[in-house]
Structures are given as C-alpha cells and as structure tokens.
C-alpha cells in the first residue's frame, strides 16, 4: 500500500543554528503497517515493495526473480491445473512438463514462483503459496529468547529539551551496558 510521508514537526518555528532538532524530521514517526495475512508466532515480517522495486534492480536480482504478481499468477495456475487435470498420474506428467519449460523460458518469473514439487500444490492451494515459505522464515520461541530482543523498554515522547522534538524514554529500569534498542538490517546499494 502506498503512503504519503507525514513529517512530524512538533515545533513550527525552529532556528536553523540554535535549535537542537533542526534537520531531524522523519517521515517514519508514528508510521504503521497492516498485516495482510496471518503470521505465526516467530514469523518474520516482510514488506512488499511491489514488482517494480525488484525489476529495477537487476544487478541484485536475476531477471527470473519472482515478484508479487508472479505468485498471484502461479496461484491462479495451480487452481486451474488442479481443476482441469483431476488424475494424479496425469497431474505428475503435466507438472513435470511445466517445470521442464524452465529450460525454454529461463527468464520466467512465473515459473520460478511455481512450487518445485507437485506434493506442495495441495498446501499452496489450501493456504496460499506463502505458506510454503513460512516455515523457513519462522523462528522458534527458544531461538527468539536466545537471539531476539524485546523492544518494550523505551517509548517516544516529547523531549524535555526545548525544541528538540521527540526523545526516547525508558519504560522500566535499564541496567548499565544494556542494549536499549536494535534496528533491522537495511541493505543499501553501493553507488559504484
């Protein structure tokens, strides 16, 4: 879903050389995301940037890298495949043939989105193609307890410093040398 950035400006009149928050405005304040599909406990959250984001980055993603529309097309294909070919033996022959087309259509994003094995088709039809990838992007509670971080120890409020915008405030005691917050990896392209 597209969104228009809303810049947070608590103080309308800032002096460029005197006020501590000049230049620190962000379109990310109070941003929110909506879950479009159920996510299990420990499931990784993904943001869709749309087809064009991947298509414009061929130096990072091969031309056959499946994009969101590839999965929608693959889902429709699987529904029609199962409806028109009821015999399990015929299904295996036709499915093998479809996967063999990869040699001819090497740049097909759609074929890359189709499950590699016929045994996964029923699950994909019942739960959606994303269900085939969910297991590999879900961590156990034990893993999260060992490697994860809880982010409920701070909250954003108006800073106590005049014209400083917002600040981070502890919601509970923070011990010396304790990690306060973490940030997910944000990959950036080298300008070269």
């Amino acid at each position: 879903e597209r969104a228009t950035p809303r810049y947070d400006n608590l103080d309308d009149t800032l002096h460029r050389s005197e006020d501590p928050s000049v230049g620190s405005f962000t379109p990310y304040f109070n941003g929110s995301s909506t879950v479009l599909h159920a996510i299990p406990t420990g499931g990784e959250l993904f943001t869709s940037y749309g087809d064009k984001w991947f298509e414009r980055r061929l130096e990072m993603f091969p031309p056959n890298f499946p994009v969101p529309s590839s999965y929608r097309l693959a889902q429709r294909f699987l529904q029609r495949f199962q409806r028109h070919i009821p015999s399990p033996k015929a299904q295996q022959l036709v499915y093998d043939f479809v996967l063999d087309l990869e040699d001819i259509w090497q740049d097909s994003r759609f074929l890359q989105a189709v499950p590699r094995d016929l045994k996964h088709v029923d699950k994909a039809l019942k739960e959606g193609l994303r269900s085939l990838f969910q297991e590999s992007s879900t961590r156990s509670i034990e893993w999260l307890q060992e490697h994860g971080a809880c982010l409920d120890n701070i909250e954003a409020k108006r800073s106590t410093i005049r014209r400083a915008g917002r600040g981070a405030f502890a919601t509970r005691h923070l011990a010396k040398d304790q990690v306060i917050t973490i940030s997910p990896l944000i990959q950036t392209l080298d300008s070269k």
Side-chain angles (χ1 to χ4, degrees), residues 14-35:
L14 296 176
H15 191 279
R16 282 251 177 240
S17 62
E18 295 175 8
D19 294 324
S21 67
V22 169
S24 64
F25 302 114
T26 176
Y28 302 106
F29 169 74
N30 224 10
S32 64
S33 298
T34 303
V35 175

Side-chain angles (χ1 to χ4, degrees), residues 80-110:
R80 291 177 184 169
F81 171 80
Q82 192 173 58
R83 187 173 61 235
H84 293 298
I85 308 170
S87 159
K89 187 174 182 177
Q91 280 186 349
Q92 188 63 59
L93 288 170
V94 172
Y95 207 76
D96 289 344
F97 171 72
V98 168
L99 293 179
D100 281 345
L101 291 175
E102 244 182 314
D103 292 339
I104 299 167
W105 291 328
Q106 293 176 0
D107 290 343
S108 172
R109 295 176 188 273
F110 154 73

Side-chain angles (χ1 to χ4, degrees), residues 31-70:
S32 64
S33 298
T34 303
V35 175
L36 300 177
H37 309 283
I39 300 171
T41 301
E44 186 173 355
L45 306 178
F46 295 97
T47 298
S48 174
Y49 295 105
D51 293 3
K52 296 289 183 210
W53 192 90
F54 294 99
E55 292 167 354
R56 291 181 181 142
R57 290 166 173 78
L58 292 176
E59 68 281 359
M60 291 176 59
F61 303 99
N64 64 352
F65 188 84
V67 295
S69 64
S70 309

Side-chain angles (χ1 to χ4, degrees), residues 97-158:
F97 171 72
V98 168
L99 293 179
D100 281 345
L101 291 175
E102 244 182 314
D103 292 339
I104 299 167
W105 291 328
Q106 293 176 0
D107 290 343
S108 172
R109 295 176 188 273
F110 154 73
L111 283 175
Q112 291 299 315
V114 171
R116 302 290 94 196
D117 196 317
L118 182 61
K119 69 182 179 186
H120 299 301
V121 170
D122 283 338
K123 181 175 182 169
L125 286 170
K126 289 177 188 160
E127 302 173 31
L129 278 168
R130 76 187 61 76
S131 67
L132 301 179
F133 305 100
Q134 187 65 60
E135 188 175 314
S136 64
S137 62
T138 300
R139 302 288 186 245
S140 69
I141 296 299
E142 295 78 21
W143 188 95
L144 291 172
Q145 288 171 336
E146 183 178 343
H147 304 286
C150 187
L151 299 180
D152 68 347
N153 58 352
I154 60 170
E155 64 183 348
K157 292 182 183 178
R158 182 184 281 266

